Amino acid sequence: MVRRSAGLILATLALSISTLAQGNKVEPTGAISDPGASEALKKILEQKGSRITLGDGPYCDIWLRAGIPAGKSEALGAVYTTLGHSVLVGVVSFAKATTDFRGQAVKPGTYTLRYAVHPADGNHLGISPIRDFLAIVPVAMDQNPDAQFKFEELMKMSAKVAGTNHPGVLSLVQKDGPPSPKVEQEGSHLIFVA
């Protein structure tokens, strides 16, 4: 298992939101309690999560996986090469409607976050500084934390988030320095560092 404390800055998420407010903060929260999440899913998450609050109230809660299975990404240009395709990284619960990294609508609710790498095709050139991302999947469709999905299958599940042909995505980015829970704003994106 790969532990986050072993130097893997894993949950740096770029959450695209329509209105950024002053007073953004990260506070600890308890264990996930969503009744839609399976017991198996609840057991593999850290017992303490992070609540992101914007100026107008709670935005989302995020729980990371307590131990991420060691894997390997051989995708050219991947940054998080110790993660295997479709590995479950954590769970996010949005308190209100938002948008994903591409600006697609995301309804309030609870979603799993699974690792993937943008395809190396002309449709994905220049969309992000790195190819790594997290696919957002409705928790009702993703109850087994150890499930492995083929790329196409994961993208179809994730497309249910926005009701489009494109998956719901959170961009992974790199940040220098030791990880510590905080929230930053870069342009129109909210960056969560854990």
Side-chain angles (χ1 to χ4, degrees):
M1 294 247 172
V2 174
R3 303 290 300 179
R4 285 188 316 117
S5 59
L8 181 65
I9 301 174
L10 182 58
T12 305
L13 311 176
L15 304 167
S16 177
I17 60 177
S18 56
T19 307
L20 292 172
Q22 292 191 10
N24 302 342
K25 61 183 175 178
V26 177
E27 302 171 294
T29 189
I32 186 172
S33 61
D34 188 305
S38 70
E39 288 304 313
L41 188 58
K42 291 177 182 177
K43 284 181 183 178
I44 59 96
L45 298 174
E46 292 180 344
Q47 291 301 302
K48 302 250 183 226
S50 296
R51 173 165 291 154
I52 296 176
T53 301
L54 303 181
D56 61 349
Y59 175 65
C60 71
D61 292 342
I62 298 175
W63 297 271
L64 299 176
R65 190 170 184 157
I68 297 175
K72 186 169 182 160
S73 175
E74 296 181 7
L76 184 63
V79 172
Y80 295 94
T81 57
T82 59
L83 296 176
H85 172 72
S86 87
V87 69
L88 187 124
V89 173
V91 172
V92 62
S93 182
F94 291 107
K96 55 181 119 185
T98 189
T99 57
D100 73 350
F101 184 75
R102 296 185 73 242
Q104 298 182 117
V106 177
K107 294 178 182 175
T110 303
Y111 303 91
T112 58
L113 303 171
R114 288 191 176 265
Y115 175 77
V117 177
H118 293 291
D121 61 20
N123 295 327
H124 295 88
L125 290 176
I127 59 172
S128 178
I130 62 173
R131 293 180 56 205
D132 310 69
F133 70 97
L134 296 176
I136 309 168
V137 179
V139 74
M141 296 179 71
D142 193 2
Q143 296 288 308
N144 180 357
D146 296 320
Q148 294 291 302
F149 301 105
K150 292 181 179 176
F151 184 81
E152 295 79 16
E153 182 182 13
L154 180 60
M155 296 305 102
K156 283 182 183 177
M157 291 168 52
S158 183
K160 302 286 186 193
V161 170
T164 67
N165 290 330
H166 198 282
V169 297
L170 298 181
S171 181
L172 282 167
V173 297
Q174 286 184 291
K175 298 298 272 183
D176 293 328
S180 63
K182 63 183 173 183
V183 63
E184 302 171 355
Q185 182 177 336
E186 287 185 13
S188 64
H189 298 283
L190 184 69
I191 309 290
F192 170 65
V193 181

